[in-house]
mmCIF file of all heavy atoms in Angstrom:
data_model
loop_
_atom_site.group_PDB
_atom_site.id
_atom_site.type_symbol
_atom_site.label_atom_id
_atom_site.label_comp_id
_atom_site.label_asym_id
_atom_site.label_seq_id
_atom_site.Cartn_x
_atom_site.Cartn_y
_atom_site.Cartn_z
ATOM 1 N N MET C 6 105.458 58.545 137.172
ATOM 2 C CA MET C 6 104.428 59.366 137.833
ATOM 3 C C MET C 6 105.145 60.346 138.793
ATOM 4 O O MET C 6 105.958 59.938 139.654
ATOM 5 C CB MET C 6 103.462 58.479 138.674
ATOM 6 C CG MET C 6 102.791 57.435 137.821
ATOM 7 S SD MET C 6 101.639 56.428 138.698
ATOM 8 C CE MET C 6 102.492 55.824 140.097
ATOM 9 N N ILE C 7 104.876 61.630 138.639
ATOM 10 C CA ILE C 7 105.426 62.649 139.511
ATOM 11 C C ILE C 7 104.288 63.190 140.377
ATOM 12 O O ILE C 7 103.406 63.860 139.864
ATOM 13 C CB ILE C 7 106.078 63.810 138.733
ATOM 14 C CG1 ILE C 7 107.214 63.198 137.846
ATOM 15 C CG2 ILE C 7 106.548 64.918 139.665
ATOM 16 C CD1 ILE C 7 107.875 64.223 136.931
ATOM 17 N N PRO C 8 104.365 62.904 141.704
ATOM 18 C CA PRO C 8 103.241 63.333 142.562
ATOM 19 C C PRO C 8 103.384 64.833 142.888
ATOM 20 O O PRO C 8 104.453 65.397 142.815
ATOM 21 C CB PRO C 8 103.455 62.518 143.854
ATOM 22 C CG PRO C 8 104.922 62.152 143.804
ATOM 23 C CD PRO C 8 105.311 62.076 142.369
ATOM 24 N N LYS C 9 102.236 65.415 143.230
ATOM 25 C CA LYS C 9 102.171 66.799 143.709
ATOM 26 C C LYS C 9 102.838 66.865 145.062
ATOM 27 O O LYS C 9 102.888 65.892 145.796
ATOM 28 C CB LYS C 9 100.762 67.283 143.739
ATOM 29 C CG LYS C 9 100.060 67.405 142.429
ATOM 30 C CD LYS C 9 98.633 67.782 142.616
ATOM 31 C CE LYS C 9 97.915 67.840 141.293
ATOM 32 N NZ LYS C 9 96.492 68.125 141.464
ATOM 33 N N GLU C 10 103.405 68.027 145.431
ATOM 34 C CA GLU C 10 103.999 68.241 146.709
ATOM 35 C C GLU C 10 103.037 67.900 147.844
ATOM 36 O O GLU C 10 103.414 67.296 148.887
ATOM 37 C CB GLU C 10 104.556 69.645 146.860
ATOM 38 C CG GLU C 10 105.835 69.876 146.165
ATOM 39 C CD GLU C 10 107.010 69.203 146.762
ATOM 40 O OE1 GLU C 10 107.106 69.019 148.020
ATOM 41 O OE2 GLU C 10 107.790 68.664 145.963
ATOM 42 N N SER C 11 101.781 68.300 147.669
ATOM 43 C CA SER C 11 100.787 68.051 148.686
ATOM 44 C C SER C 11 100.400 66.573 148.926
ATOM 45 O O SER C 11 99.802 66.198 149.935
ATOM 46 C CB SER C 11 99.566 68.889 148.413
ATOM 47 O OG SER C 11 98.972 68.446 147.147
ATOM 48 N N THR C 12 100.719 65.706 147.968
ATOM 49 C CA THR C 12 100.309 64.313 148.062
ATOM 50 C C THR C 12 101.525 63.328 148.070
ATOM 51 O O THR C 12 101.247 62.140 148.211
ATOM 52 C CB THR C 12 99.423 63.915 146.881
ATOM 53 O OG1 THR C 12 100.129 63.991 145.701
ATOM 54 C CG2 THR C 12 98.192 64.720 146.882
ATOM 55 N N ILE C 13 102.752 63.854 148.043
ATOM 56 C CA ILE C 13 103.869 62.953 147.889
ATOM 57 C C ILE C 13 104.036 61.994 149.137
ATOM 58 O O ILE C 13 104.324 60.841 148.936
ATOM 59 C CB ILE C 13 105.218 63.771 147.714
ATOM 60 C CG1 ILE C 13 106.262 62.783 147.238
ATOM 61 C CG2 ILE C 13 105.624 64.491 148.936
ATOM 62 C CD1 ILE C 13 107.480 63.472 146.628
ATOM 63 N N GLN C 14 103.768 62.454 150.288
ATOM 64 C CA GLN C 14 103.925 61.560 151.446
ATOM 65 C C GLN C 14 102.856 60.429 151.441
ATOM 66 O O GLN C 14 103.210 59.264 151.740
ATOM 67 C CB GLN C 14 103.874 62.341 152.818
ATOM 68 C CG GLN C 14 104.304 61.518 153.974
ATOM 69 C CD GLN C 14 105.667 60.996 153.836
ATOM 70 O OE1 GLN C 14 106.641 61.679 153.499
ATOM 71 N NE2 GLN C 14 105.868 59.686 154.064
ATOM 72 N N CYS C 16 101.399 59.225 148.711
ATOM 73 C CA CYS C 16 101.725 58.363 147.674
ATOM 74 C C CYS C 16 102.915 57.453 148.014
ATOM 75 O O CYS C 16 102.894 56.205 147.813
ATOM 76 C CB CYS C 16 102.138 59.107 146.373
ATOM 77 S SG CYS C 16 100.781 60.017 145.630
ATOM 78 N N LEU C 17 103.846 57.960 148.746
ATOM 79 C CA LEU C 17 105.039 57.235 149.239
ATOM 80 C C LEU C 17 104.608 56.130 150.195
ATOM 81 O O LEU C 17 105.130 55.004 150.100
ATOM 82 C CB LEU C 17 106.077 58.127 149.872
ATOM 83 C CG LEU C 17 107.318 57.457 150.421
ATOM 84 C CD1 LEU C 17 108.078 56.712 149.345
ATOM 85 C CD2 LEU C 17 108.199 58.464 151.132
ATOM 86 N N THR C 29 111.566 58.669 146.016
ATOM 87 C CA THR C 29 111.311 60.100 146.073
ATOM 88 C C THR C 29 112.615 60.944 145.819
ATOM 89 O O THR C 29 112.484 62.061 145.271
ATOM 90 C CB THR C 29 110.646 60.561 147.350
ATOM 91 O OG1 THR C 29 111.439 60.021 148.483
ATOM 92 C CG2 THR C 29 109.295 60.109 147.463
ATOM 93 N N GLY C 32 112.406 61.985 142.490
ATOM 94 C CA GLY C 32 111.200 62.858 142.237
ATOM 95 C C GLY C 32 110.067 62.220 141.483
ATOM 96 O O GLY C 32 109.108 62.909 141.133
ATOM 97 N N GLN C 33 110.127 60.906 141.317
ATOM 98 C CA GLN C 33 109.074 60.209 140.588
ATOM 99 C C GLN C 33 108.891 58.799 140.978
ATOM 100 O O GLN C 33 109.861 58.221 141.583
ATOM 101 C CB GLN C 33 109.233 60.366 139.089
ATOM 102 C CG GLN C 33 110.459 59.591 138.566
ATOM 103 C CD GLN C 33 110.717 59.822 137.101
ATOM 104 O OE1 GLN C 33 109.945 60.534 136.466
ATOM 105 N NE2 GLN C 33 111.721 59.210 136.550
ATOM 106 N N PHE C 34 107.844 58.184 140.737
ATOM 107 C CA PHE C 34 107.608 56.793 140.968
ATOM 108 C C PHE C 34 107.524 56.177 139.583
ATOM 109 O O PHE C 34 106.886 56.713 138.675
ATOM 110 C CB PHE C 34 106.298 56.536 141.742
ATOM 111 C CG PHE C 34 106.278 57.160 143.113
ATOM 112 C CD1 PHE C 34 105.602 58.364 143.332
ATOM 113 C CD2 PHE C 34 107.017 56.587 144.124
ATOM 114 C CE1 PHE C 34 105.586 58.944 144.571
ATOM 115 C CE2 PHE C 34 106.963 57.217 145.348
ATOM 116 C CZ PHE C 34 106.286 58.320 145.578
ATOM 117 N N ASP C 64 96.269 63.247 142.143
ATOM 118 C CA ASP C 64 97.367 63.280 143.114
ATOM 119 C C ASP C 64 98.715 63.543 142.447
ATOM 120 O O ASP C 64 99.744 63.695 143.122
ATOM 121 C CB ASP C 64 97.450 61.915 143.858
ATOM 122 C CG ASP C 64 96.301 61.656 144.836
ATOM 123 O OD1 ASP C 64 95.651 62.707 145.207
ATOM 124 O OD2 ASP C 64 96.106 60.562 145.147
ATOM 125 N N PHE C 65 98.709 63.605 141.146
ATOM 126 C CA PHE C 65 99.988 63.696 140.412
ATOM 127 C C PHE C 65 100.069 64.983 139.530
ATOM 128 O O PHE C 65 99.088 65.341 138.947
ATOM 129 C CB PHE C 65 100.193 62.437 139.517
ATOM 130 C CG PHE C 65 100.318 61.196 140.384
ATOM 131 C CD1 PHE C 65 99.234 60.487 140.679
ATOM 132 C CD2 PHE C 65 101.560 60.798 140.857
ATOM 133 C CE1 PHE C 65 99.280 59.325 141.460
ATOM 134 C CE2 PHE C 65 101.676 59.692 141.639
ATOM 135 C CZ PHE C 65 100.566 58.919 141.935
ATOM 136 N N TYR C 66 101.235 65.513 139.512
ATOM 137 C CA TYR C 66 101.552 66.621 138.675
ATOM 138 C C TYR C 66 101.621 66.197 137.215
ATOM 139 O O TYR C 66 101.170 66.875 136.293
ATOM 140 C CB TYR C 66 102.871 67.259 139.117
ATOM 141 C CG TYR C 66 103.456 68.302 138.217
ATOM 142 C CD1 TYR C 66 102.827 69.502 138.027
ATOM 143 C CD2 TYR C 66 104.608 68.022 137.504
ATOM 144 C CE1 TYR C 66 103.317 70.456 137.195
ATOM 145 C CE2 TYR C 66 105.173 68.950 136.682
ATOM 146 C CZ TYR C 66 104.542 70.142 136.495
ATOM 147 O OH TYR C 66 105.004 71.089 135.649
ATOM 148 N N ARG C 67 102.255 65.079 137.000
ATOM 149 C CA ARG C 67 102.415 64.520 135.615
ATOM 150 C C ARG C 67 102.554 63.020 135.637
ATOM 151 O O ARG C 67 103.144 62.381 136.529
ATOM 152 C CB ARG C 67 103.683 65.062 135.019
ATOM 153 C CG ARG C 67 103.828 64.657 133.598
ATOM 154 C CD ARG C 67 105.050 65.128 132.936
ATOM 155 N NE ARG C 67 106.207 64.288 133.338
ATOM 156 C CZ ARG C 67 107.443 64.525 133.314
ATOM 157 N NH1 ARG C 67 107.813 65.723 132.829
ATOM 158 N NH2 ARG C 67 108.359 63.673 133.671
#
Side-chain angles (χ1 to χ4, degrees):
M6 305 182 309
I7 299 176
K9 295 178 182 175
E10 283 293 320
S11 60
T12 62
I13 194 165
Q14 193 56 49
C16 291
L17 177 60
T29 51
Q33 64 185 2
F34 299 103
D64 290 342
F65 296 91
Y66 168 69
R67 184 182 80 197

